[in-house]
Amino acid sequence: MARNCRDWLRTYLDFTINVESPAIFHTYSALFALGAAVGRKIWIDRGAYKLHPNLYVILVAASALCRKTTAIEIAARVLRLAVPDLPLVASKTSTEMLMSTLAKQFKIYGRSEAIMIAEEMGVFLGSDIRNISLVELLTKLYNCGDYINQATIGRGNEVCQKGYGIMLAGTTPEWMHNAFPKKATEGGFTGRCLFVYARTPRQRKAEPSLSNDVLINLASDLRHIGGYREQLGLQGEFKMDQSGRDWYVNWYEHEFQPPCEDFRLDGYFGRKHDTVVKIAMLLSLAQRDELVLTSMELSHALTLVEELEPDLVEAMKSIHTTEVGDDLAGLLRIIRMAGPEGISHSSLLRRVSYKLRAGEVKEHIDMMESAGMIVKEVVDNDGMGRRGFAYRVKIEGKPEP
């Protein structure tokens, strides 16, 4: 069967170009849809283990600001149109409910696939997020083990086989700080997540539009890639061609240097090489039926992954931060949003006077300036020679006057 789209991902991004959500949200939502469609049927042999093209994608933005729910809904719409009977886990869940769903999946399909869509991660996980057993199960599903044993409340140990977990979720920085369990970092869950941050919408669009014809083409090609009923879809083992193998060996053995300054990032960087390969498989599936990885897909995958890394530290800080850290993060957020012109000291005080005293603001400002996070400048406050201070975020690599 011939495809309608020369490059499925490129077509998807063009399809969503009139939507306010940032392009990076649509990129990772589209990759999720590809991984959800093919499921466990695709893999690459890494010697000691098989690697499947599953991702845990978490879109992070302030509520109602960057239309993260819109990006999630579009991906879900394409996926449901392509594979109408695909079993989605899209409502509030618990360890017991998820294990029960997986057991039913195995009886019907011969594999236990959890395809999770959560417009609000807090609602999806519910109060059980405080129960680390759910996070443990999600971690095991990400690993796609052939045999998953999980303790549950009331039913003891339960088992599912041939696991596959893939997630597209939305959340806010505030929820990550207030509700995300700190043990999720220690247990490796956060190291398996891709936190996709956005702070501003791509554009303001009073009447966003989507082409129904392109939607149908996207769904048709996704059905071809993933399979539906009599259509088997693509399945089997990926192989790297010589260019892909040469690129990967050179990058992994000579260029890849995981940073060591923050232990909270160890899990992510310890799996970065596998994440690059996972995304490269999805990029390849978007373009052709042959299960071959070239240097082009691998290089593109690395670019996409590294685009997320500047915000990784912020993601981990939001989970682990103290009350003082909250105050610092809040001040830094206000200064960043002021843009390159910065914000005056008096304006900043007015913005935070409901929670911080002037002396506390000065202490935090001094700390951020000493750490090289912001630049403090002397400015004319009122145009009449009265001097004051203004603050702006320091731009990395740019020398200050």
Side-chain angles (χ1 to χ4, degrees):
M1 171 186 166
R3 296 192 184 200
N4 298 296
C5 310
R6 183 175 180 181
D7 183 325
W8 191 90
L9 178 59
R10 182 69 263 163
T11 303
Y12 187 99
L13 295 179
D14 290 341
F15 170 64
T16 56
I17 200 165
N18 288 319
V19 178
E20 292 185 12
S21 316
I24 192 70
F25 277 8
H26 293 298
T27 297
Y28 275 92
S29 296
L31 292 173
F32 159 82
L34 285 164
V38 297
R40 209 186 139 90
K41 302 192 300 291
I42 297 290
W43 73 90
I44 189 168
D45 191 347
R46 305 303 295 144
Y49 56 96
K50 286 183 178 179
L51 196 65
H52 297 275
N54 61 314
L55 304 171
Y56 281 1
V57 175
I58 302 179
L59 310 183
V60 186
S63 181
L65 181 63
C66 293
R67 306 291 186 259
K68 55 184 178 290
T69 298
T70 301
I72 293 170
E73 287 177 342
I74 292 172
R77 183 180 175 189
V78 174
L79 188 57
R80 288 189 175 101
L81 185 60
V83 192
D85 62 355
L86 191 70
L88 303 178
V89 182
S91 59
K92 181 178 177 181
T93 193
S94 66
T95 310
E96 291 72 26
M97 291 168 60
L98 190 51
M99 284 299 291
S100 177
T101 299
L102 293 170
K104 292 176 184 176
Q105 292 255 339
F106 184 74
K107 288 180 181 178
I108 298 172
Y109 302 103
R111 51 188 184 272
S112 304
E113 295 183 346
I115 300 168
M116 297 167 279
I117 298 178
E119 295 174 4
E120 294 294 340
M121 194 171 183
V123 175
F124 175 72
L125 296 174
S127 60
D128 207 37
I129 189 63
R130 295 296 184 185
N131 179 356
I132 201 64
S133 68
L134 180 57
V135 176
E136 289 176 350
L137 176 55
L138 294 175
T139 302
K140 292 174 183 177
L141 283 169
Y142 180 90
N143 296 339
C144 301
D146 288 333
Y147 185 89
I148 297 174
N149 189 339
Q150 180 64 43
T152 62
I153 299 173
R155 296 204 295 265
N157 282 346
E158 291 195 321
V159 174
C160 67
Q161 299 179 57
K162 298 187 181 301
Y164 183 87
I166 186 165
M167 177 189 293
L168 176 62
T171 192
T172 65
E174 291 74 20
W175 184 88
M176 288 181 64
H177 167 59
N178 294 327
F180 215 95
K182 307 300 182 281
K183 289 186 178 179
T185 303
E186 300 167 13
F189 176 72
T190 55
R192 290 165 170 80
C193 295
L194 294 175
F195 295 99
V196 185
Y197 269 75
R199 295 178 178 86
T200 57
R202 172 165 47 186
Q203 59 194 334
R204 292 296 181 192
K205 203 76 175 178
E207 296 180 340
S209 60
L210 295 172
S211 166
N212 193 60
D213 290 341
V214 178
L215 172 64
I216 292 171
N217 286 340
L218 286 167
S220 175
D221 280 6
L222 192 60
R223 186 180 304 123
H224 166 77
I225 293 167
Y228 178 57
R229 293 184 178 172
E230 72 279 357
Q231 244 176 276
L232 294 177
L234 307 182
Q235 52 190 305
E237 181 182 356
F238 258 98
K239 298 282 189 180
M240 290 186 189
D241 71 1
Q242 192 60 49
S243 74
R245 191 173 297 108
D246 290 345
W247 183 95
Y248 186 78
V249 169
N250 179 67
W251 171 73
Y252 185 67
E253 294 185 0
H254 303 293
E255 296 181 12
F256 178 37
Q257 298 292 333
C260 304
E261 65 269 15
D262 195 328
F263 75 94
R264 294 168 297 190
L265 304 180
D266 289 350
Y268 165 80
F269 282 106
R271 297 178 185 86
K272 179 177 176 178
H273 59 298
D274 280 346
T275 303
V276 168
V277 174
K278 283 172 178 276
I279 292 177
M281 284 193 280
L282 296 171
L283 294 174
S284 176
L285 291 170
Q287 297 179 69
R288 56 182 175 272
D289 290 356
E290 294 77 22
L291 303 182
V292 176
L293 286 186
T294 71
S295 59
M296 185 175 298
E297 290 89 47
L298 289 161
S299 177
H300 186 187
L302 179 62
T303 299
L304 288 174
V305 169
E306 292 188 338
E307 189 175 351
L308 306 181
E309 290 178 1
D311 290 311
L312 267 179
V313 173
E314 182 169 341
M316 293 301 101
K317 283 180 179 177
S318 67
I319 295 172
H320 287 268
T321 188
T322 62
E323 186 174 349
V324 172
D326 277 345
D327 295 338
L328 282 169
L331 287 169
L332 187 61
R333 190 178 305 117
I334 292 170
I335 296 170
R336 180 184 287 115
M337 290 179 68
E341 290 78 23
I343 184 171
S344 70
H345 183 75
S346 57
S347 296
L348 183 61
L349 283 178
R350 285 194 293 272
R351 293 282 300 274
V352 299
S353 59
Y354 69 97
K355 64 177 296 188
L356 292 174
R357 296 188 299 273
E360 292 173 318
V361 173
K362 183 180 182 303
E363 289 179 8
H364 295 331
I365 289 294
D366 290 345
M367 184 183 301
M368 289 190 286
E369 184 185 16
S370 298
M373 300 162 68
I374 64 170
V375 176
K376 182 166 72 173
E377 298 173 321
V378 178
V379 296
D380 186 346
N381 263 348
D382 54 9
M384 299 178 64
R386 296 178 60 184
R387 314 296 279 177
F389 292 115
Y391 314 109
R392 59 180 174 81
V393 172
K394 185 174 182 178
I395 301 173
E396 292 295 331
K398 181 179 178 180
E400 298 299 336

